[in-house]
Amino acid sequence: MVDGHAPLRLLLIGSPGAGKGTQSSRIQDSFDVNSISSGDLLRRNIALGTDIGVQAAKEMKNGALVSDKVMVKLIDQELNKIGSQQSWLLDGFPRTMTQAQALDHTLESSNQPLNLVIHLNVPENVILQRIMDRWVHIPSGRVYNMTYNPPKRAGLDDVTGEPLERRPDDNPETFKIRLQKHHELTEPLLDYYKQRNILVSLAGNTSDEIYPQIRQLLQSRFKPEEEEKVEAGVV
Ligand code: ATP
Ligand code: MG
């Protein structure tokens, strides 16, 4: 529980490559929070060859957005799996105003409104380099960066030992399109949440610079006894 009463219901918003996946993992290492990543969900659907995966593969490969209808349904399903008293964060959703309004509608109908939106504000000139250095473990969504956060064994996931892959949309051409979509469709959400007084913008060049700010922000919201993993000395 957060603030002594409400569980954390958090969005991570940031341009492609801003480190949403990395920050979600770190938050989960320290706090008792469920995480839903829209991109990871889609990549898992593609790997499994589901109907959604088949529909989404082309858009993802081209850097376009998957339809709002598919995304809203997918995320609603995931949110339904989480108990109303549990904290959660969303990474990569909502990405359009239509998605944001659909999410509000879902959450308001169960009386569980969002209570925090964190904007990861990373300068554009460092992001492309980071993307070109990025390798992922598709089944878990774990992200590595060959410069800042390399795997313990080259090319292999730290936890499973399975091979890491490059994402097909992590190339300069597709990245440019993803960035354009972000400016055009996702950035307007920042104003939407700012007006509701739930937006916090955190700046830095690397995830290492930004994470301590997130941690501090969340620590003040979680009761100490719920930082189980921190107390147990895992972090
Ligand atoms: P990063 O993973 O570095 O934060 P990103 O935000 O571009 O970069 P993902 O969130 O993994 O990457 O999304 C990859 C692709 O999946 C998007 O380019 C888009 O095609 C699709 N996608 C993910 N989330 C959504 C969404 N909420 N709405 C529509 N399409 C989405
Ligand atoms: Mg991601």
Side-chain angles (χ1 to χ4, degrees):
M1 259 183 226
V2 185
D3 290 335
H5 50 273
L8 181 69
R9 294 183 289 265
L10 163 70
L11 305 184
L12 292 181
I13 297 188
S15 75
K20 298 183 292 289
T22 302
Q23 301 297 0
S24 314
S25 307
R26 293 194 187 175
I27 291 169
Q28 283 185 287
D29 286 345
S30 299
F31 301 98
D32 191 9
V33 178
N34 298 279
S35 148
I36 301 172
S37 157
S38 57
D40 290 351
L41 273 175
L42 291 171
R43 278 183 286 278
R44 255 177 265 146
N45 273 277
I46 291 175
L48 294 171
T50 66
D51 286 349
I52 287 181
V54 172
Q55 285 177 44
K58 188 160 163 260
E59 278 98 349
M60 286 184 77
K61 193 164 179 294
N62 296 332
L65 292 189
V66 176
S67 81
D68 288 334
K69 200 169 157 218
V70 168
M71 292 312 302
V72 168
K73 195 170 159 207
L74 193 65
I75 299 296
D76 273 356
Q77 276 171 3
E78 293 303 306
L79 284 172
N80 271 331
K81 296 179 190 165
I82 301 175
S84 62
Q85 290 312 304
Q86 287 182 281
S87 290
W88 50 256
L89 69 83
L90 286 177
D91 146 11
F93 181 96
R95 242 182 175 80
T96 65
M97 197 54 89
T98 304
Q99 292 178 14
Q101 285 165 349
L103 177 66
D104 281 340
H105 183 78
T106 302
L107 298 178
E108 273 156 25
S109 62
S110 55
N111 208 11
Q112 296 171 43
L114 292 170
N115 42 31
L116 184 62
V117 177
I118 297 180
H119 172 217
L120 304 176
N121 185 359
V122 182
E124 228 162 81
N125 58 357
V126 303
I127 283 187
L128 180 60
Q129 186 52 50
R130 283 171 42 171
I131 289 252
M132 297 313 290
D133 253 9
R134 170 159 82 175
W135 289 75
V136 290
H137 178 244
I138 303 278
S140 68
R142 272 184 288 280
V143 184
Y144 298 87
N145 180 286
M146 291 307 144
T147 309
Y148 300 108
N149 171 34
K152 294 194 179 95
R153 285 182 296 155
L156 301 177
D157 177 46
D158 286 353
V159 178
T160 62
E162 290 167 357
L164 301 178
E165 294 170 54
R166 289 273 302 151
R167 272 172 48 175
D169 56 346
D170 277 352
N171 59 71
E173 296 73 36
T174 311
F175 182 69
K176 221 173 125 194
I177 302 170
R178 289 160 59 199
L179 208 52
Q180 273 167 6
K181 297 279 172 211
H182 176 77
H183 288 316
E184 181 191 337
L185 298 169
T186 311
E187 267 176 2
L189 301 187
L190 296 176
D191 238 10
Y192 179 69
Y193 294 120
K194 191 172 172 192
Q195 282 170 14
R196 295 203 341 223
N197 279 325
I198 52 175
L199 180 75
V200 177
S201 191
L202 303 177
N205 281 349
T206 65
S207 295
D208 282 350
E209 280 172 33
I210 294 184
Y211 183 66
Q213 304 176 57
I214 295 182
R215 184 172 164 152
Q216 200 174 21
L217 190 65
L218 297 190
Q219 257 166 349
S220 64
R221 289 176 169 254
F222 278 78
K223 286 193 283 184
E225 64 265 31
E226 277 167 330
E227 282 177 56
E228 295 147 16
K229 296 177 184 174
V230 176
E231 283 177 7
V234 174
V235 182

